[in-house]
Amino acid sequence: MSSTVGGGPSEVEVKRVFIGAGCNRIVNNVSWGACGLLSFGAQNAVAIFDPKTAQISTTLPGHKASVNCTQWLPSNKFAFKAKDLERHYLLSGDAGGAIILWEYSVLEAKWRYVLQVPELHKKGVTCISGIMVSETEAIFASTSSDGTVYLWEVVFPSTGGGDCELLHLDSLFVGSKPMVALSLAELPGNTGHLVLAMGGLDNKIHLYSGERRGKFVRACELKGHTDWIRSLDFSLPICNSGAAHYILLVSSSQDKGIRIWKMALRGSLDSSQSSKPEKISLASYIDGPVLVAGTTSYQISLESLLIGHEDWVYSVEWQPPSPASSEGIAYRQHQSILSASMDKTMMIWKPEKTSGIWMNVVTVGELSHCALGFYGGHWSPSGDSILAHGYGGSFHLWRNVGASLDHWQPQKVPSGHFAAITDIAWGRSGEYLLSVSDDQTTRIFSPWKNDTTPEDEGSWHEIARPQVHGHDMNCVTIIQGKGNHRFVSGADEKVARVFEAPLSFLKTLGHAISQNFTFSEDIQLGVQILGANMSALGLSQKPIYVHAEQHTIEKNPNDSLDTLEAIPDAVPVVLTEPPIEDQLGWHTLWPESHKLYGHGNELFALCSDHEGKLVASSCKAQSAAVAEIWLWEVGSWRALGRLQSHTLTVTQMEFSPDDKFLLVVSRDRQFSVFAINKTGTDGASYKLVAKHEAHKRIIWSCSWNPHSYEFATGSRDKTVKIWTVGKDLSVKLLATLPPFSSSVTALSWVGLDSKQNNGLLAVGMENGLIELWSLSVNKPDDGVEANVCAALVTQFDPLMCHVSSVSRLAWRKRESENCSSIQLASCGADHCVRVFEVKC
């Protein structure tokens, strides 16, 4: 996707390069469509990813609350008859009760907001289930924690661009114990009648039947589960000798059990089995209630009880049918069920050929200690892949690569943070992007070159998770300069922590940058740390040395006891292809080399100079004494000074391009400029040279002109102001940009031409939108005051932008000034890291 807007000095094209995001931690969040794409909620956005490329292709803005559930129409269940559809539809429900319908054009690969379902739910939507009743008609049901279930019919346009018609069929009130799982199906042998199964907090499955455009009536209840019902799924009608006689319903619960229920046309059960009495299996049917739909009735029986999971079973799903080979039958419903549980496993269940007893035939997962179980599992439309989403916002995908026997192998998936992202920083030469988040992790994203297109940069992936912490992360800075890759991070604690890249990461980065990578021996000799181990409480990460494996240590026999300290050792690995979640969460940690003590509150902002000699840090503050900025010397890590100027939290700091000034902005609506003078042995001296009350509200961000002593400040008062530092060290206002539509929360200035002193200023806002402004600074030599020529160059397409506040913007280092394109990274409260390519 790209957006081009004229109006500036030159036309600029913006293209999306990468989106990294984690999945909201909630059941029913993920849906796999018949078109092969997956949808999931990432904070207030609906994110779409393609399993073939392992990339998130887009995020859809529109929800005002966190997205709880998504449902494709047609879903993977109807893939066998959706091959020729030009348009697919997606429903998404949020924590505010809103449901939105989206349209996806397969040929153009474009998305369109269609409509918002009239807002009837008073609380969050917890589940949406829908079925296609014809090529242009679908019925869907939604349930909410307000104790209601609503049924709708939606008629899709037969031609592109037409309007969808929405008809409210029925409202069902289920009382004080809400339903959290739904499934809809057409009843066999009785066209036009539907059955709706719902389950929830009262441990029963409630069945309702109704006509396609009529009211739904309560039919019966199925009892057996002893805890909340979490998932329900109907099979398609199962054909015996050409005629469909019965359908199966599978249910799962927090009682760790899975039950399969059979709904058979009355009479068909006896006739099919009486002729062959010897075929009666061990799974003999336990008759249950009778469901009446119109003039037809169905005998319900318990087909099987599946026991195997050791924790709550959050989802069950029938394998999607495949197109039938024989004439007269449209599809073949597979007798195969996928279940996902909080016990960290997914299982596939099938009936044994001779006895008919349902058995667990495949188990995947058994994830290490870094995962905390699965919230849901889904089949691919073709049935050869299965996907789970986990507690850590992560995806786990397995594909059956076996020819005759099942052989499920992990596949690449997109990944990202599952909470608000607070800060980002580019690697020393722009090789990778580092991000920190309220999900208590630090992550590294990088393009990974492949063999097929060596001239291309490659697709982006998360390649390391250097820090997995016990506190929410607030800020990070990469220390520039020669030597190893290092960064300093700050969290909701009073300590800043310094991390050094281990040998395993340096080698992995080499493979990502070049396929024909060979490692130089001198770096190997210089870096003696291979990786890092997690601490018991998730705070300090201990180094693993290169030669540690040569030392055999006598183990204490009590070490095997299950205690807090008995955390298994990490195995630092050199990755030759992008890693999967299990490797990231444990084996790509960086060792912590120093702690910086001094601040009185939680850390809030960090920055380092361009030379790699100084780091400045600030913390949350309500008084002048606590709002001081600490200067640290890189290497010795001693405190060089405490800079005092502000009375409230310092929100951002940045060194000038030549490191002679430190610019500081604060919640107290003022900015300060400190002159920094580096001395030989003592480190640095500093002096406050300017302080201004610059805005009417909090100043959130600042950025220097890379070519000169101008800088920009952005504030909650929706303005951006451009300032200059004169030769006499006085600061003057040069320009105020026209008011923005929302609070300005992030700024980043990049130079385009040093001779003409022009550049681009990226402006990020609280509403998630990003704009680019062209800034050209003229400095006449005859003593006349400098002036700024500013023009709006482009507003990013909202489909490319964040759906919540932009936290930080950062331009990637350019290879040369002649380079026509430059990359911009952004992060936000919507859990997304984004990289854009700007061609100018």
Side-chain angles (χ1 to χ4, degrees):
M1 172 175 283
S2 61
S3 64
T4 310
V5 175
S10 61
E11 210 162 77
V12 162
E13 185 189 357
V14 180
K15 196 172 76 172
R16 181 175 46 222
V17 175
F18 169 70
I19 303 170
C23 182
N24 288 345
R25 300 198 279 181
I26 193 161
V27 186
N28 301 324
N29 191 7
V30 177
S31 179
W32 203 328
C35 56
L37 299 178
L38 278 136
S39 60
F40 66 95
Q43 207 241 5
N44 297 358
V46 180
I48 308 297
F49 93 77
D50 185 348
K52 292 190 189 76
T53 60
Q55 299 288 304
I56 296 171
S57 56
T58 191
T59 53
L60 308 176
H63 285 284
K64 293 181 175 63
S66 181
V67 175
N68 281 352
C69 47
T70 61
Q71 172 70 38
W72 280 93
L73 295 173
S75 65
N76 51 4
K77 192 180 288 187
F78 297 94
F80 67 91
K81 59 179 181 184
K83 285 190 168 55
D84 302 323
L85 288 182
E86 290 178 12
R87 287 177 300 281
H88 290 248
Y89 294 86
L90 178 66
L91 290 158
S92 55
D94 69 28
I99 298 173
I100 294 178
L101 179 67
W102 312 86
E103 179 186 87
Y104 173 65
S105 164
V106 177
L107 299 174
E108 298 173 330
K110 281 192 177 162
W111 284 90
R112 179 170 78 94
Y113 173 101
V114 179
L115 57 86
Q116 180 167 328
V117 175
E119 199 165 327
L120 289 173
H121 287 300
K122 305 288 185 293
K123 292 183 182 174
V125 182
T126 51
C127 183
I128 301 173
S129 175
I131 57 165
M132 302 294 291
V133 289
S134 73
E135 276 206 7
T136 56
E137 278 177 283
I139 309 278
F140 72 88
S142 63
T143 183
S144 159
S145 40
D146 63 6
T148 57
V149 175
Y150 293 116
L151 285 129
W152 302 84
E153 181 189 53
V154 58
V155 181
F156 304 122
S158 48
T159 57
D163 291 331
C164 290
E165 292 173 36
L166 192 67
L167 177 68
H168 181 222
L169 297 179
D170 207 352
S171 303
L172 307 173
F173 299 95
V174 297
S176 60
K177 293 194 171 177
M179 299 292 120
V180 294
L182 299 174
S183 187
L184 270 167
E186 289 189 273
L187 284 164
N190 183 12
T191 53
H193 266 82
L194 302 173
V195 59
L196 169 67
M198 58 175 84
L201 279 59
D202 65 355
N203 310 348
K204 298 178 211 165
I205 299 168
H206 303 266
L207 295 176
Y208 286 74
S209 67
E211 292 180 53
R212 192 176 288 185
R213 288 204 166 169
K215 294 284 179 189
F216 277 68
V217 294
R218 193 185 186 100
C220 59
E221 290 176 354
L222 305 180
K223 298 177 184 175
H225 286 294
T226 57
D227 205 338
W228 290 11
I229 288 155
R230 296 311 306 228
S231 182
L232 295 164
D233 192 33
F234 277 112
S235 70
L236 289 189
I238 289 166
C239 300
N240 274 352
S241 60
H245 288 303
Y246 64 92
I247 57 173
L248 296 170
L249 170 68
V250 61
S251 61
S252 74
S253 162
Q254 289 180 186
D255 64 11
K256 309 176 189 174
I258 300 165
R259 289 170 181 258
I260 303 171
W261 311 84
K262 184 172 186 174
M263 297 172 60
L265 267 166
R266 289 193 84 178
S268 64
L269 183 67
D270 304 328
S271 61
S272 65
Q273 291 199 335
S274 57
S275 57
K276 296 179 182 174
E278 72 279 359
K279 281 285 183 187
I280 293 177
S281 69
L282 287 168
S284 53
Y285 305 106
I286 303 165
D287 284 352
V290 173
L291 180 137
V292 179
T295 56
T296 320
S297 60
Y298 298 83
Q299 176 68 58
I300 302 176
S301 53
L302 180 64
E303 166 94 349
S304 190
L305 171 62
L306 313 182
I307 303 289
H309 284 295
E310 294 169 8
D311 208 335
W312 297 358
V313 185
Y314 265 139
S315 86
V316 279
E317 192 177 281
W318 289 99
Q319 183 177 340
S322 53
S325 49
S326 56
E327 289 294 318
I329 301 172
Y331 62 86
R332 185 166 72 85
Q333 173 69 59
H334 297 279
Q335 298 274 303
S336 181
I337 291 168
L338 176 70
S339 63
S341 163
M342 281 305 274
D343 68 3
K344 310 177 187 177
T345 63
M346 278 205 300
M347 294 182 179
I348 297 175
W349 307 80
K350 291 183 181 177
E352 213 226 335
K353 286 196 172 86
T354 51
S355 67
I357 294 174
W358 284 78
M359 308 284 285
N360 163 23
V361 292
V362 174
T363 302
V364 295
E366 288 140 347
L367 290 170
S368 66
H369 32 270
C370 57
L372 286 168
F374 292 143
Y375 276 137
H378 302 274
W379 290 97
S380 67
S382 57
D384 65 350
S385 298
I386 52 177
L387 174 118
H389 65 105
Y391 178 81
S394 55
F395 290 109
H396 308 263
L397 178 66
W398 288 268
R399 190 156 168 264
N400 189 2
V401 295
S404 54
L405 294 166
D406 279 355
H407 181 45
W408 295 85
Q409 279 200 332
Q411 305 293 307
K412 288 197 284 282
V413 285
S415 68
H417 293 283
F418 57 89
I421 302 169
T422 47
D423 204 355
I424 49 173
W426 283 101
R428 218 169 43 226
S429 307
E431 315 96 317
Y432 55 82
L433 183 67
L434 184 76
S435 60
V436 294
S437 159
D438 287 347
D439 70 5
Q440 307 188 344
T441 65
T442 304
R443 301 179 189 232
I444 289 179
F445 300 93
S446 166
W448 196 288
K449 284 201 168 152
N450 51 33
D451 293 325
T452 49
T453 51
E455 70 284 345
D456 188 26
E457 184 180 56
S459 59
W460 281 71
H461 300 275
E462 184 181 346
I463 65 163
R465 205 166 294 168
Q467 188 183 5
V468 178
H469 202 45
H471 294 281
D472 291 5
M473 312 284 296
N474 297 327
C475 48
V476 70
T477 185
I478 285 182
I479 305 166
Q480 304 299 330
K482 298 187 177 102
N484 198 2
H485 296 257
R486 289 187 285 190
F487 72 84
V488 185
S489 68
D492 274 353
E493 55 176 350
K494 301 171 185 178
V495 188
R497 295 171 185 269
V498 185
F499 292 84
E500 310 242 355
L503 196 60
S504 57
F505 172 77
L506 298 175
K507 290 184 174 180
T508 296
L509 186 63
H511 285 295
I513 293 167
S514 163
Q515 283 297 303
N516 308 314
F517 167 71
T518 52
F519 206 73
S520 62
E521 287 295 320
D522 54 334
I523 297 180
Q524 185 144 349
L525 290 169
V527 181
Q528 292 298 313
I529 294 171
L530 190 60
N533 264 324
M534 178 78 75
S535 75
L537 298 174
L539 294 174
S540 298
Q541 292 167 193
K542 304 290 188 290
I544 298 172
Y545 291 95
V546 174
H547 303 296
E549 65 271 14
Q550 295 168 7
H551 306 296
T552 53
I553 300 162
E554 199 69 38
K555 286 222 168 199
N556 185 338
N558 296 328
D559 279 355
S560 59
L561 296 177
D562 188 15
T563 65
L564 263 179
E565 293 296 330
I567 289 185
D569 282 349
V571 184
V573 281
V574 177
L575 303 162
T576 54
E577 58 181 39
I580 57 172
E581 177 67 22
D582 217 19
Q583 294 167 313
L584 284 169
W586 203 247
H587 304 314
T588 60
L589 292 168
W590 289 20
E592 183 183 311
S593 61
H594 292 89
K595 294 181 182 67
L596 310 181
Y597 295 98
H599 284 290
N601 279 337
E602 302 98 321
L603 290 183
F604 196 82
L606 282 162
C607 77
S608 65
D609 67 351
H610 300 78
E611 251 191 317
K613 291 186 177 174
L614 294 176
V615 168
S617 62
S618 74
C619 69
K620 294 178 185 176
Q622 296 287 334
S623 66
V626 184
E628 60 191 9
I629 298 149
W630 284 61
L631 270 187
W632 309 89
E633 185 179 51
V634 172
S636 70
W637 296 113
R638 58 196 180 99
L640 298 179
R642 292 150 74 166
L643 288 59
Q644 293 182 331
S645 174
H646 294 280
T647 55
L648 292 174
T649 307
V650 167
T651 52
Q652 196 181 349
M653 302 171 285
E654 192 173 293
F655 282 93
S656 62
D658 60 3
D659 293 336
K660 286 185 178 170
F661 296 104
L662 175 65
L663 170 64
V664 178
V665 294
S666 165
R667 291 186 82 105
D668 64 12
R669 309 173 186 181
Q670 304 184 83
F671 71 75
S672 304
V673 177
F674 291 89
I676 306 290
N677 181 24
K678 288 179 190 160
T679 55
T681 51
D682 299 323
S685 61
Y686 52 88
K687 187 174 85 173
L688 178 65
V689 294
K691 183 177 176 181
H692 279 259
E693 179 148 345
H695 290 269
K696 295 181 182 136
R697 305 288 298 277
I698 293 169
I699 308 176
W700 280 125
S701 54
C702 60
S703 186
W704 285 95
N705 176 0
H707 297 319
S708 189
Y709 289 139
E710 292 80 41
F711 61 87
T713 56
S715 162
R716 186 180 275 173
D717 65 10
K718 303 182 182 178
T719 62
V720 171
K721 296 184 179 182
I722 312 296
W723 311 78
T724 183
V725 181
K727 287 180 181 170
D728 58 353
L729 302 185
S730 64
V731 174
K732 293 193 178 102
L733 177 65
L734 287 183
T736 301
L737 301 188
F740 289 84
S741 60
S742 181
S743 299
V744 176
T745 52
L747 293 172
S748 189
W749 196 331
V750 66
L752 295 179
D753 188 342
S754 55
K755 289 175 186 162
Q756 295 181 359
N757 199 4
N758 64 12
L760 285 176
L761 181 68
V763 180
M765 288 170 269
E766 193 174 28
N767 58 12
L769 300 181
I770 298 171
E771 293 183 2
L772 288 185
W773 286 74
S774 166
L775 297 179
S776 183
V777 183
N778 302 314
K779 284 191 172 176
D781 292 331
D782 51 7
V784 181
E785 283 194 9
N787 61 70
V788 174
C789 179
L792 174 64
V793 177
T794 183
Q795 293 174 320
F796 286 22
D797 185 322
L799 271 175
M800 296 204 301
C801 292
H802 296 272
V803 297
S804 298
S805 177
V806 180
S807 307
R808 191 74 78 230
L809 293 165
W811 292 97
R812 192 176 186 181
K813 198 169 180 178
R814 296 169 84 193
E815 289 171 15
S816 69
E817 271 196 5
N818 304 325
C819 190
S820 64
S821 73
I822 182 167
Q823 287 188 342
L824 173 69
S826 69
C827 68
D830 62 355
H831 310 179
C832 289
V833 170
R834 296 169 189 267
V835 179
F836 308 94
E837 187 161 298
V838 178
K839 288 189 176 167
C840 40

